[in-house]
Amino acid sequence: AQSVTQLDSQVPVFEEAPVELRCNYSSSVSVYLFWYVQYPNQGLQLLLKYLSGSTLVKGINGFEAEFNKSQTSFHLRKPSVHISDTAEYFCAVSQGGSEKLVFGKGTKLTVNP
Amino acid sequence: KAGVTQTPRYLIKTRGQQVTLSCSPISGHRSVSWYQQTPGQGLQFLFEYFSETQRNKGNFPGRFSGRQFSNSRSEMNVSTLELGDSALYLCASSLQTGEGYTFGSGTRLTVV
């Protein structure tokens, strides 16, 4: 069975600092990987996805993620965060060909001035 | 282009009652999925429909059911509500497998 581990439940950073949110997955078959962001009282918004091809994926709002098959990781990065990036971030995996997403527990990113 | 629309946004129900939640996907999207989000369990997959057929089902009791209509709109029903059913229920739609879902804003259900 697939599973997703987000290693940090909370990450506080200062504005304009870089940030990395970590995600590891377990699956014995090829997978699709996603990062979603959730702002308070809202649904989930897709930040970026990895389906195949280049292991470095660029998304919206200046975020990027790198797929590392050998380490089964898909960490999310941003070189300089803004106050508006404060939100909860979810890593998710789906088995290729399936629409079912398995989510991690989420990482709450707090950007302080 | 309109997003995924979920109604109602908020619901308060009493234990033992039943509830129906509605979801209108993005026009042209034929796959609709439902997720339950709680502080304790996080985001959990309920079920997925494609062209009116349930393709996947999560590990939830039979009190949770759903359906999809010919226009791709979907409903989910929870019967005999329990306090533990209090959650944010999210609907999502996608055009093609692997594209990633577009989520609605959710229906927050409170069971008292």
Side-chain angles (χ1 to χ4, degrees):
Chain A
Q2 298 166 321
S3 67
V4 177
T5 302
Q6 290 185 242
L7 296 157
D8 305 296
S9 59
Q10 298 190 52
V11 173
V13 294
F14 288 109
E15 194 174 18
E16 298 184 6
V19 71
E20 178 180 82
L21 307 183
R22 297 179 293 169
C23 172
N24 286 89
Y25 68 93
S26 67
S27 176
S28 58
V29 297
S30 64
V31 295
Y32 297 159
L33 294 156
F34 306 86
W35 275 99
Y36 284 88
V37 61
Q38 186 176 35
Y39 299 100
N41 298 315
Q42 293 188 27
L44 302 173
Q45 181 182 9
L46 180 64
L47 277 176
L48 48 77
K49 60 188 175 187
Y50 172 80
L51 307 182
S52 65
S54 173
T55 57
L56 184 62
V57 180
K58 294 191 182 297
I60 62 172
N61 301 342
F63 284 94
E64 63 180 34
E66 185 153 19
F67 170 61
N68 188 317
K69 188 175 182 179
S70 63
Q71 297 188 4
T72 59
S73 68
F74 190 55
H75 300 333
L76 181 71
R77 302 185 183 101
K78 186 169 182 177
S80 175
V81 294
H82 302 124
I83 299 284
S84 58
D85 292 322
T86 295
E88 190 158 19
Y89 293 78
F90 292 92
C91 180
V93 62
S94 72
Q95 181 177 326
S98 167
E99 289 288 2
K100 174 185 173 182
L101 290 174
V102 175
F103 285 89
K105 292 291 190 183
T107 297
K108 288 186 180 175
L109 174 66
T110 302
V111 181
N112 298 302
Chain B
K1 182 166 160 178
V4 177
T5 303
Q6 291 188 247
T7 56
R9 283 297 309 275
Y10 301 93
L11 263 179
I12 300 176
K13 290 287 188 178
T14 304
R15 271 182 302 174
Q17 287 186 313
Q18 75 164 17
V19 67
T20 299
L21 312 182
S22 180
C23 171
S24 293
I26 291 173
S27 177
H29 286 195
R30 293 163 66 190
S31 172
V32 174
S33 292
W34 290 87
Y35 290 81
Q36 182 197 63
Q37 185 177 26
T38 60
Q41 299 298 317
L43 283 152
Q44 293 185 286
F45 172 78
L46 279 157
F47 23 67
E48 185 236 341
Y49 289 88
F50 184 87
S51 293
E52 303 180 66
T53 300
Q54 187 181 89
R55 290 202 299 193
N56 278 296
K57 189 177 191 307
N59 189 25
F60 278 82
R63 300 185 296 107
F64 291 81
S65 63
R67 59 178 175 169
Q68 186 181 33
F69 302 96
S70 58
N71 62 358
S72 292
R73 192 177 70 83
S74 178
E75 290 181 347
M76 68 163 281
N77 185 77
V78 188
S79 62
T80 320
L81 284 166
E82 301 176 359
L83 296 179
D85 297 333
S86 294
L88 180 66
Y89 290 88
L90 293 164
C91 170
S93 71
S94 72
L95 181 60
Q96 293 180 5
T97 299
E99 271 211 353
Y101 281 123
T102 300
F103 282 80
S105 296
T107 294
R108 185 164 295 281
L109 171 66
T110 302
V111 182
V112 297

